[in-house]
Amino acid sequence: MCDHHDILRSDNKDLQSIEKQIDRRHFLKKTSLGIGALALGSLLNTEKAWSSIGNSSEGVNAFTRNKLGLPHHLPKAKRIIYLFQSGGPSQLDLFDYKPKLVDMFGKDLPESVIGGQRLTGMSGSQSTLPVAPSLFKFKQYGESRAWVSEIMPHLTEVVDDLCFVKSMQTDQINHTPAVTFMQTGHQLPGRPSIGSWLSYGLGSDNDNLPTFITLISKNGKGQPLKAGLWGNGFLPTEHQGVQFRSGKDPVLYLNNPDNYDGNDRKKMLDYLDKLNSIQHDAYGDPEIQARMTQYEMAFRMQTSIPEVTDTSDEPEHIFDMYGKDSRDPGTYAANCLMARKLLEKGVKFVQLYHQGWDQHIGCPGGVKNKARQTDQATAALIKDLKQRGMLDDTLVVWGGEFGRTVYSQGQLTKKNYGRDHHPKAFTMWMAGAGVKPGFTYGETDDFSYNVTKDPVHVHDFHATLLHLFGVDHERLTFKHQGRRYRLTDVHGHLVKDILT
């Protein structure tokens, strides 16, 4: 009785042909090299190892995709620092230079420019809306010849690394819904934040630290910030952002109580895990599993947090580059430095909030003070990431929830003016992974009031951000109460012209 392998060989002419072409030695040589190359590639850089397979969607195959099938295409960005300037920075006093306004000082803003747009109750009842040119001087810098105000001298040193988007638009005119909209894609609270979506879709690069961390400048004044801005919404709880605070306890309740050592904590968590497992088996609630995951993360963070929040080993020239405030924990400068350290440890999304950009009165003095607090450290962060070779795959975003009006809210004088909220034209910038450096996109009219070229809606910004991480914004969804939700809801277009 012949073996079934012999029957297979005798009946399969293609197999016989292959056997004639490949002897044992040749076969072992080829397969060993191929397997070795794949193994080495996966250790060094999975994305590059598979990018030669074909185009970006084919290059990311089952070997690199996670259980959600992400990323959808080869990502340019591995991590992000979002420098959120809460309150609405005045684009007119920082980046959107409008020299023709000088001749219109004090004249009423033409109704044709307003075009029936909604005004806030704070200035909508004014009898006049007098045009207020910026008090600050502007110059062009770098090879890109980008316009930057004199109150941001440090940022002028890195303009050729920045991609300015001067045609941003939002639907919201008041702070709370506008900030919520910018962070979650919806004006009402309860939706997942950007960082939570990325955590859910792409997972973590570090088992000992959260995927998504929030830092808030201490002693901030202005519009309040709520935890929902970095919340997980209806996504599993482990994707919620974790706020780090300044001081000896960056994360509350993480340290062991007095007379309670690590062994006790471990035993307690083990027993708690058993109880939660029984509960999960009985009810199947995924939030029980999420809670167990969070307890385990908290235990590991007891050793990882002290190390990553300790900046004492940073060299003097780094502190000098970020500025004197970088030695004071909790300041914007210190948080920028902390953000870089967190990225180095594998944190995917770091969100910085800096409050106080809401200058309804005393705009020149207020915006100048905010620029002083943030300018040097912001530029230093770009330089620091670049010198460490991290800017190529790190996305840096700077911006607020909306812009400011060209007309003065309240009394206008030669040296003072206020600016109200303006949602239909404002400036943000990005730098790093996948965006064009030294590039300006979009244009506004002579009043910085209306977008005249290449508008970018908040939903478009979100779609583009996700794209840089290898995610198709229309395909990253989560089913909740019978409906599939996404960050961009049912909107959003990729802004291809700003991508490399």
Side-chain angles (χ1 to χ4, degrees):
M1 189 172 182
C2 61
D3 185 81
H4 71 278
H5 291 293
D6 295 329
I7 297 174
L8 179 62
R9 289 192 184 96
S10 62
D11 292 340
N12 194 324
K13 295 181 180 181
D14 291 334
L15 184 58
Q16 292 175 11
S17 175
I18 292 172
E19 286 181 332
K20 290 179 181 179
Q21 296 177 32
I22 305 177
D23 58 22
R24 179 181 296 179
R25 180 178 298 176
H26 190 244
F27 172 79
L28 291 175
K29 178 180 179 181
K30 287 292 186 181
T31 55
S32 63
L33 288 175
I35 294 171
L38 288 178
L40 180 60
S42 67
L43 290 173
L44 296 178
N45 191 322
T46 306
E47 295 161 3
K48 291 182 179 179
W50 287 98
S51 62
S52 60
I53 294 176
N55 62 37
S56 59
S57 61
E58 294 171 343
V60 184
N61 61 13
F63 187 79
T64 59
R65 286 193 174 107
N66 61 24
K67 62 183 180 180
L68 295 177
L70 297 170
H72 298 127
H73 55 264
L74 288 175
K76 294 291 185 70
K78 293 181 179 178
R79 47 194 172 256
I80 176 175
I81 297 177
Y82 192 160
L83 307 171
F84 191 79
Q85 313 301 316
S86 178
S90 171
Q91 76 283 0
L92 284 155
D93 296 292
L94 297 172
F95 306 117
D96 204 12
Y97 180 46
K98 300 299 177 183
K100 294 182 180 181
L101 293 180
V102 175
D103 296 331
M104 290 200 64
F105 176 85
K107 295 181 180 179
D108 206 23
L109 183 65
E111 183 60 36
S112 60
V113 175
I114 300 174
Q117 291 184 36
R118 177 188 176 193
L119 306 180
T120 74
M122 292 170 284
S123 61
S125 59
Q126 290 183 193
S127 59
T128 63
L129 299 174
V131 170
S134 177
L135 285 181
F136 305 117
K137 297 177 182 179
F138 282 74
K139 289 183 180 180
Q140 289 177 291
Y141 296 90
E143 294 182 5
S144 60
R145 310 307 296 153
W147 290 100
V148 181
S149 168
E150 63 180 329
I151 61 175
M152 286 210 163
H154 294 280
L155 202 68
T156 64
E157 301 171 6
V158 296
V159 289
D160 287 338
D161 295 307
L162 309 183
C163 178
F164 291 94
V165 180
K166 294 189 175 181
S167 53
M168 287 295 304
Q169 297 181 322
T170 182
D171 297 339
Q172 304 305 315
I173 198 170
N174 291 313
H175 292 289
T176 297
V179 176
T180 305
F181 189 53
M182 184 63 76
Q183 296 302 316
T184 70
H186 199 269
Q187 70 270 23
L188 298 178
R191 298 285 184 93
S193 59
I194 306 170
S196 294
W197 277 112
L198 284 175
S199 174
Y200 166 71
L202 298 176
S204 175
D205 296 328
N206 187 316
D207 292 334
N208 299 319
L209 287 168
T211 306
F212 175 24
I213 291 175
T214 295
L215 304 170
I216 302 176
S217 301
K218 68 179 183 180
N219 302 324
K221 297 180 180 180
Q223 298 299 319
L225 299 171
K226 299 180 179 179
L229 297 175
W230 50 93
N232 59 293
F234 44 69
L235 294 177
T237 310
E238 66 261 34
H239 302 298
Q240 178 175 331
V242 176
Q243 182 183 349
F244 278 22
R245 296 163 169 82
S246 59
K248 66 176 183 177
D249 292 320
V251 179
L252 295 180
Y253 313 117
L254 191 64
N255 292 332
N256 289 324
D258 293 338
N259 303 317
Y260 196 79
D261 61 26
N263 291 328
D264 291 335
R265 172 63 63 89
K266 186 66 171 65
K267 291 178 181 178
M268 182 270 289
L269 289 176
D270 287 341
Y271 282 116
L272 189 59
D273 185 66
K274 292 179 181 178
L275 292 173
N276 281 325
S277 296
I278 294 172
Q279 193 84 346
H280 183 266
D281 292 341
Y283 297 101
D285 186 351
E287 277 300 302
I288 297 175
Q289 189 68 42
R291 188 184 305 126
M292 294 163 63
T293 301
Q294 287 179 303
Y295 281 133
E296 294 167 1
M297 171 62 76
F299 181 75
R300 296 191 297 270
M301 284 168 60
Q302 287 188 300
T303 55
S304 63
I305 293 300
E307 176 188 359
V308 75
T309 57
D310 181 12
T311 60
S312 61
D313 59 345
E314 293 289 332
E316 289 297 316
H317 73 271
I318 292 296
F319 286 114
D320 292 340
M321 182 168 67
Y322 280 87
K324 63 179 182 180
D325 286 349
S326 63
R327 301 176 186 275
D328 184 5
T331 61
Y332 178 84
N335 285 345
C336 283
L337 179 55
M338 179 65 65
R340 190 221 77 209
K341 287 178 64 69
L342 290 170
L343 293 190
E344 288 181 309
K345 294 296 185 180
V347 176
K348 190 179 297 295
F349 195 114
V350 180
Q351 177 94 59
L352 270 68
Y353 287 93
H354 191 71
Q355 297 163 278
W357 288 93
D358 190 25
Q359 283 87 34
H360 289 274
I361 58 174
C363 183
V367 73
K368 187 176 182 179
N369 183 50
K370 291 293 116 179
R372 180 194 61 77
Q373 294 173 4
T374 60
D375 175 45
Q376 182 173 354
T378 300
L381 179 61
I382 299 296
K383 295 176 184 177
D384 202 5
L385 292 171
K386 191 173 183 179
Q387 72 183 6
R388 295 169 189 271
M390 296 174 63
L391 191 59
D392 290 341
D393 52 16
T394 299
L395 181 65
V396 182
V397 177
W398 185 100
E401 64 268 37
F402 42 54
R404 313 302 297 195
T405 57
V406 64
Y407 62 79
S408 178
Q409 178 183 335
Q411 185 179 11
L412 171 64
T413 69
K414 288 289 185 180
K415 294 186 178 181
N416 198 15
Y417 46 81
R419 296 199 190 278
D420 203 354
H421 308 165
H422 187 56
K424 294 303 181 182
F426 62 104
T427 300
M428 295 179 66
W429 60 254
M430 293 180 277
V435 296
K436 290 180 180 177
F439 186 68
T440 296
Y441 184 79
E443 296 177 6
T444 59
D445 60 19
D446 291 337
F447 300 89
S448 191
Y449 205 84
N450 298 290
V451 171
T452 58
K453 183 180 179 182
D454 300 325
V456 179
H457 192 271
V458 170
H459 291 308
D460 303 330
F461 163 67
H462 288 160
T464 306
L465 188 154
L466 291 179
H467 175 85
L468 291 168
F469 278 87
V471 178
D472 181 343
H473 73 104
E474 293 183 346
R475 296 165 62 191
L476 177 57
T477 63
F478 187 87
K479 191 172 184 179
H480 174 63
Q481 295 183 342
R483 178 193 163 187
R484 295 193 180 278
Y485 289 85
R486 68 187 205 217
L487 174 61
T488 53
D489 199 36
V490 295
H491 310 281
H493 298 91
L494 178 62
V495 188
K496 296 180 180 179
D497 289 343
I498 69 172
L499 304 179
T500 55

